[in-house]
Amino acid sequence: MTEVSKLTESFITLGALHSSTRAGRTLILDYGSPRVAITVLTDRIIRVRLAPDGAFAARRSWAVVQADDAFPEAVFEIEESSYALVLRTASLTVRIERDRGSLSFADAQGQAFCTDEVGMQWNQTTSESRRVACTKRIEADEHFFGFGERTGPLDKLGRQLINWTTDPAHGHGPGTDPLYQAIPVFLALRTGLAYGVFFNNTWRSHFDIGARRSGVWTMEAEGGELDYYVVYGPTPEQVSEGLGALLGTLPLPPRWALGYHQSRWGHATDSMVRDLAAEFRTRDIPCDVIHLDIDYMDGYRVFTWNSQGFPDPRGLLADLRGDGFRIVTIVDPGVKVDPDYKVYQAGLEHDVFIHRADGAVFHGYVWPDDAVFADYTRPEVREWWGNMQKALLDVGVSGIWNDMNEPAVFERPFSQGVGKVGTIDLDAMQGPEGERTTHAEVHNLYGYGMACASYEGLRRQRGSERPFVITRSGFAGVQRWSTCWMGDNDSWWEHLELAMPQLMNMGLSSVPFVGTDIGGFNGNASGELFARWMQFGALAPFCRGHSEIGTERHEPWVFGPRVEAICREFLRLRYRLLPYLYTLFWEAAQRGSPVLRPLLYHYPDDPATYQLHDQVLLGPSLLAAPMYHPGREHRHVYLPEGVWYDWWTNELLDGPLHLLAFAPLERMPLYVRAGAIIPSGPDQHYADERPLDPLTLDLYPGNGAFTLYEDDGYSFEYEHGQFSTTSYTLHQTADRLVFEIGVREGAYVPTTRRLLIRVHAVGEQAAEGHPGAGYDSVHRLLTLEFDDDGHARTLSFKIPDTTA
Ligand code: GLC
């Protein structure tokens, strides 16, 4: 077990500043031998680096998308006084005390943030792995979110968090840390001021957020540089945007990847997969993707097929494709040691595997027993690995599922019962030519590198089609290559609860395309648990059901007709919402925003949202309050300031409001923000089965706007302008609601279609005098139908004061 902190008196801190020089966008501070570099990337993004011996390592930054100098020119001034240096950009200042090098940031109003308490520290050592640390002040009412994949609450104040990719023992609980991902990125928030931090260090590191000592937070690493980026908001939205500029954003996924995925360890034969697919279609439950777990391989040899279970994979995949199904295959990093196996032979020939400190190839046990592991930190190895995927792509595989890439290494051969799960020797050697280093330094990058190899391989080999990769492990920036699922959860109510803050915190850490195994991986879900999980899962960015071999099956119909009907209804809802969801992914790709958001993202000045781990926002408009306790039909819901509508009844609710929602098994409490414009499409068995006709726009009276993004959903033509955006605005005055449809912009032309406008929660008079208006007085729903000819159009009609 990692000792969380070694900060001791023997750590060294900076002394008095000797001199300072400005080199381009960097201010270099000289403290005798140690030096500090402060680099201005933008007016809101500042990088801080410490070189205890005065020399900044030339080593690359693995996660940051571009070199510091590639950011547009940054304008800043430096003021000097006898006490301090003040670096001033258009949005913030950084103050550097002359006597002990402590840094503090402040916004334009002079509010301090990210202020050093102890400042930068290091210990005296001759070895490469010197510890570095930095301790800063926690401001009054400041709270902390993000940190990648974690257990526990939404707000991480009072917790210690380790960054070390790990395959944890089964049954993780609120105290389990770390998990599979290492994403040293967080958001600090207090009323009126949010900032983000990326700790740019791949060694084992940790954050202590006021746990050992209240009032201060620390970041500390077991090697490498003290190197961090501060991303000023002041809103969480701006922090996400800044982190996106720094760490990259996800590329647009293919639309089919936003559909439902069905997986199971144990889909072991061709006929099982065919039956599974047929079941979805016969039962009219939407599904796009079936995942094949390790059973499809020949003796767990990656990039092969088990010819007994799958005698004709090409035929199988073609038939499934004809029925609208895609296949995603698992690919583990462990390559079976078998002299007759081509991938192993070729890997030895190209010297792609990791070597031990003594020079021999490192061996470890995983599914195929004795195995070796490719070194994905080397570009030529990534290319080699990516090309291996051809064996799968050639038979029609649509996506790659990377697993066990923390990497997990068993104590004993799988055939003898696994034992404890460890990893590669920390002194094993890795890295590109000229940058050789130990596994200890790049361990956290293993899954990240593997996902990158998979993504780039798909991109190279399939040309025009967007890759789809899913990974269990990753580092900051993994969103550029892959979707992430949260690993092996259990069929427990506690794990359904844990999924909510986990996914939202991933989103705040710049990784928006995330999901958990619906129903739980280990163990057997009850029908009730499965139904509740599906309700939440249907709104998760990545929506996949999965289960472990030897457990009961976790498919929508196995729990009887009531649960089946619930799964059908919620998956249909997801599919209808695809135009909305797809637009949220476009926003994520453009601006780094999360798809599934905690309420604090849109209500940062309402501290009542900071601890809301069990309510989620899908984009700006849809609020869900999932049910996560057995036997309950009611739960508390908090609606922040503003007008809200109950999704199911159209009831108008005036926030801020605490309410007791009624939620029988068929209902997950859902609310829509006033002013919301929610685009949706027809029911479908799989994404793009039918054209988007009619395009439905659900309007919830109030003031709001929405820009719909559209493109072909599968190619890279959008990079060449083949996309379109349409802006809709809704404006409410005392006696009118005006809905305006902007001109469609961009080269992509959707099919000719009808627009179905549904105005919710309006009184009877609203329908009067409008040609084509249909009014359903029971549901207080006005429906107007007209053709979409692409021209600007204004709809204007009277509505009564529904709050009366
Ligand atoms: C790991 C994965 C799980 C998969 C299993 C077999 O436990 O996390 O999803 O089913 O390996 O491949």
Side-chain angles (χ1 to χ4, degrees), residues 30-144:
D30 203 324
Y31 294 89
S33 170
R35 292 201 299 165
V36 170
I38 300 181
T39 304
V40 180
L41 275 78
T42 72
D43 63 326
R44 282 152 205 270
I45 308 180
I46 307 289
R47 181 184 191 185
V48 179
R49 295 174 81 184
L50 163 77
D53 305 322
F56 295 99
R59 204 164 280 253
R60 76 183 65 219
S61 181
W62 292 92
V64 175
V65 272
Q66 53 188 359
D68 295 349
D69 285 333
F71 283 83
E73 202 193 338
V75 180
F76 66 97
E77 290 162 11
I78 296 165
E79 292 158 23
E80 302 206 23
S81 74
S82 45
Y83 302 108
L85 260 60
V86 177
L87 182 156
R88 193 180 300 282
T89 75
S91 304
L92 55 80
T93 58
V94 188
R95 183 182 162 96
I96 306 123
E97 303 300 334
R98 282 189 187 276
D99 65 345
R100 49 188 188 99
S102 72
L103 300 183
S104 61
F105 293 72
D107 65 10
Q109 289 75 47
Q111 284 193 92
F113 65 97
C114 202
T115 299
D116 283 353
E117 175 76 14
V118 180
M120 294 176 255
Q121 292 182 290
W122 66 97
N123 66 355
Q124 202 65 271
T125 170
T126 46
S127 79
E128 198 199 339
S129 59
R130 162 159 42 207
R131 299 180 78 91
V132 291
C134 184
T135 299
K136 290 174 179 281
R137 190 184 305 156
I138 296 175
E139 302 295 337
D141 300 322
E142 197 167 34
H143 296 269
F144 295 79

Side-chain angles (χ1 to χ4, degrees), residues 227-260:
D227 176 0
Y228 64 95
Y229 294 78
V230 176
V231 178
Y232 170 65
T235 65
E237 231 168 319
Q238 287 164 302
V239 173
S240 288
E241 198 161 346
L243 288 171
L246 196 61
L247 302 170
T249 60
L250 91 168
L252 263 182
R255 194 154 35 225
W256 58 261
L258 307 191
Y260 179 63

Side-chain angles (χ1 to χ4, degrees), residues 333-585:
V335 173
K336 187 176 175 67
V337 172
D338 168 1
D340 299 327
Y341 167 36
K342 284 206 181 84
V343 178
Y344 173 67
Q345 285 168 354
L348 283 183
E349 224 166 88
H350 291 90
D351 189 24
V352 305
F353 301 123
I354 295 176
H355 290 258
R356 297 193 318 221
D358 67 8
V361 169
F362 172 85
H363 285 236
Y365 296 122
V366 256
W367 309 122
D369 290 350
D370 189 11
V372 290
F373 301 81
D375 179 4
Y376 305 108
T377 59
R378 293 163 52 198
E380 70 281 10
V381 175
R382 288 201 296 276
E383 187 175 343
W384 178 84
W385 185 268
N387 289 346
M388 287 291 145
Q389 295 173 155
K390 192 166 185 303
L392 301 171
L393 303 183
D394 281 353
V395 297
V397 166
S398 294
I400 299 292
W401 166 18
N402 287 162
D403 187 24
M404 305 288 283
N405 50 2
E406 295 69 36
V409 176
F410 303 154
E411 188 183 25
R412 289 195 290 275
F414 177 49
S415 49
Q416 291 170 30
V418 176
K420 276 206 207 120
V421 179
T423 193
I424 288 176
D425 296 346
L426 298 190
D427 61 354
M429 295 308 292
Q430 285 195 246
E433 214 41 58
E435 287 181 73
R436 302 289 287 165
T437 184
T438 57
H439 181 71
E441 178 174 353
V442 292
H443 171 83
N444 282 331
L445 293 170
Y446 199 80
Y448 175 91
M450 185 185 192
C452 170
S454 302
Y455 180 89
E456 288 179 341
L458 289 177
R459 178 114 208 219
R460 264 195 318 278
Q461 282 157 356
R462 288 202 316 192
S464 63
E465 272 189 63
R466 297 179 202 167
F468 175 72
V469 177
I470 154 170
T471 184
R472 193 169 77 172
S473 187
F475 188 70
V478 67
Q479 68 276 1
R480 305 212 299 280
W481 323 118
S482 185
T483 306
C484 302
W485 98 105
M486 302 296 103
D488 297 348
N489 54 6
D490 290 76
S491 297
W492 298 341
W493 290 94
E494 291 82 352
H495 274 188
L496 168 54
E497 177 174 6
L498 184 140
M500 295 181 267
Q502 198 170 50
L503 298 188
M504 292 191 285
N505 275 325
M506 283 293 280
L508 293 178
S509 315
S510 288
V511 190
F513 199 2
V514 287
T516 56
D517 287 346
I518 294 172
F521 174 72
N522 299 302
N524 299 324
S526 65
E528 187 191 5
L529 175 62
F530 194 79
R532 292 307 197 186
W533 210 317
M534 187 61 85
Q535 290 172 343
F536 168 60
L539 297 190
F542 176 56
C543 177
R544 184 183 80 161
H546 182 46
S547 52
E548 191 179 19
I549 195 165
T551 59
E552 299 290 333
R553 296 176 75 111
H554 279 175
E555 284 129 21
W557 48 86
V558 301
F559 303 96
R562 185 173 180 197
V563 172
E564 180 181 338
I566 293 168
C567 293
R568 183 182 297 108
E569 176 173 357
F570 277 83
L571 287 175
R572 281 187 178 172
L573 171 64
R574 179 182 182 88
Y575 275 74
R576 285 198 300 275
L577 285 174
L578 280 176
Y580 179 64
L581 196 60
Y582 192 62
T583 297
L584 296 180
F585 273 83

Side-chain angles (χ1 to χ4, degrees), residues 222-291:
E222 294 185 6
E225 272 193 7
L226 183 64
D227 176 0
Y228 64 95
Y229 294 78
V230 176
V231 178
Y232 170 65
T235 65
E237 231 168 319
Q238 287 164 302
V239 173
S240 288
E241 198 161 346
L243 288 171
L246 196 61
L247 302 170
T249 60
L250 91 168
L252 263 182
R255 194 154 35 225
W256 58 261
L258 307 191
Y260 179 63
H261 300 234
Q262 183 67 62
S263 182
R264 176 167 173 80
W265 181 2
H267 287 156
T269 63
D270 180 311
S271 60
M272 284 174 90
V273 177
R274 285 180 192 273
D275 290 349
L276 179 72
E279 219 50 78
F280 275 100
R281 295 296 179 251
T282 319
R283 292 176 187 270
D284 223 0
I285 299 172
C287 181
D288 266 84
V289 192
I290 293 175
H291 288 231

